[in-house]
Structure formats: C-alpha cells, structure tokens
Amino acid sequence: MNYQIKVPDELTDYETEHILNLWEVSEWKEMTPAYFRNFFNDSEFHMLSGSGNEILAVIRLNLNFTLEISGKQYTFAEAVGLVSAREKKGYGSQLVQLFQENMIERNTEAIGFCAAGLRPFYQKCNIEILENSAKAILENTKGGWISSEDDDILIFNASGETKELLRALGPGKNAYLID
C-alpha cells in the first residue's frame, strides 16, 4: 500500500472522478476535473492506494477552516471526507493513522468532526474525541446561525492550548464558522 499526499493540481482526471464517486455527493457528481481542482484549491488529498494505484481510502484536508471563538479567529486544518473504497478491510483506519502521523510530523494543527455513530471508529483509531462539542459550532445560513450537524470534534493534532479552547465550547460558549 502506498500513502500519498496530493494538492488538487497534482490529481489526475481519473483520481478526481474516483474521489467524487467515493464521496457520493449528488451535487458534485457532474463536477469536471478542472472545476474540482478549483473548488478544492485550498485542500490536500491524503490517499491510500493499492498496488495498481487504485484509491483504497481518501481524506481531504481543508487548509482554510476558520472559527471565531470569543471574538478571536483561529484557523485550523480540517480533516473531512474520509471514505474507504471497501468497508471492513482496514483501509480507512490505516489512512487515519498515517494522516495523524503526518499532521504530527508537520506540526499542523488538524481537527475534524463526526456524528456520534462514528465515534467507535475513531476510538478504535485512538483519535482524541471531544464528545458533543461540535454542536457548539454555529454555521451561518440564510435563516441565521445553526448548530453543526456533527456531534464530536476529532483531534488529529493540536496544542494543549487549542484543545482547552475547543474543550471549553458548549452551552453559552459557541464558535462561529467563518466563510
């Protein structure tokens, strides 16, 4: 197996199409490779590939994720879009482990989010989880500020100060997603 990191311009047309198929987001199905590269220009794609270069698992690192907490803005790398080509083969957990090692090695503060139902997967991967903290992250919509759909904040790599900042989120202490 091969772990690789690519920025959007390094992805082949086949890889962009394969990633979109793995993600199964209906609004993105018709994205052209050129549009994909532009749309995700502030990202890195961490991939686990097999011997035939087929993508076994992928996770996107959004390098432009900013939260406002207590009037101050904090930018993190956000891990999103983890998907495995085949379930129960260990590809996703292997990629999570390699991804976390890479974030630590590069000293990059990286967080992610998950629904409570995915908590056991990340616990098995030994990822630190701030349970039920993601609901305190509010996103601006046409109807106003709404709570995140996710339940937990995942800590792939963060300083003690950052962990305490995120751990303090909850009722009465929200974070606001900045576009």
Side-chain angles (χ1 to χ4, degrees):
M1 292 207 224
N2 183 29
Y3 173 62
Q4 53 189 325
I5 303 166
K6 292 186 176 186
V7 296
D9 285 342
E10 296 172 335
L11 294 169
T12 67
D13 289 358
Y14 171 77
E15 288 170 329
T16 63
E17 290 168 15
H18 191 70
I19 291 167
L20 288 170
N21 285 331
L22 288 173
W23 280 343
E24 297 180 344
V25 177
S26 58
E27 301 88 60
W28 294 349
K29 284 287 185 195
E30 302 305 314
M31 236 189 229
T32 65
Y35 186 78
F36 179 100
R37 289 181 190 99
N38 185 55
F39 191 78
F40 295 112
N41 68 330
D42 287 332
S43 300
E44 290 179 351
F45 292 84
H46 293 245
M47 300 179 290
L48 189 63
S49 302
S51 57
N53 284 334
E54 71 278 12
I55 299 172
L56 302 174
V58 65
I59 191 168
R60 180 173 74 91
L61 186 64
N62 173 10
L63 299 168
N64 189 22
F65 182 79
T66 304
L67 294 176
E68 185 176 300
I69 304 170
S70 300
K72 187 173 177 190
Q73 291 189 4
Y74 300 87
T75 299
F76 304 95
E78 176 199 23
V80 293
L82 171 65
V83 67
S84 180
R86 287 178 235 125
E87 290 186 28
K88 307 291 183 200
K89 295 284 187 182
Y91 303 140
S93 55
Q94 272 187 289
L95 181 58
V96 165
Q97 211 167 13
L98 292 165
F99 173 80
Q100 183 178 37
E101 289 169 10
N102 183 269
M103 293 298 99
I104 292 168
E105 185 178 296
R106 289 167 49 188
N107 196 28
T108 300
E109 289 203 316
I111 62 174
F113 304 93
C114 75
L118 292 173
R119 199 177 286 160
F121 169 78
Y122 288 103
Q123 288 170 329
K124 186 179 97 181
C125 294
N126 293 315
I127 300 300
E128 185 175 352
I129 301 169
L130 304 181
E131 293 184 12
N132 303 311
S133 295
K135 293 291 184 201
I137 297 174
L138 304 180
E139 301 175 38
N140 198 3
T141 66
K142 292 175 186 167
W145 292 94
I146 62 165
S147 185
S148 170
E149 291 180 9
D150 291 306
D151 297 299
D152 302 336
I153 298 175
L154 306 169
I155 305 292
F156 293 98
N157 187 44
S159 68
E161 181 183 319
T162 297
K163 288 180 194 179
E164 287 309 310
L165 181 72
L166 295 173
R167 218 177 248 119
L169 296 177
K173 175 114 183 189
N174 293 317
Y176 300 88
L177 180 61
I178 305 298
D179 290 331

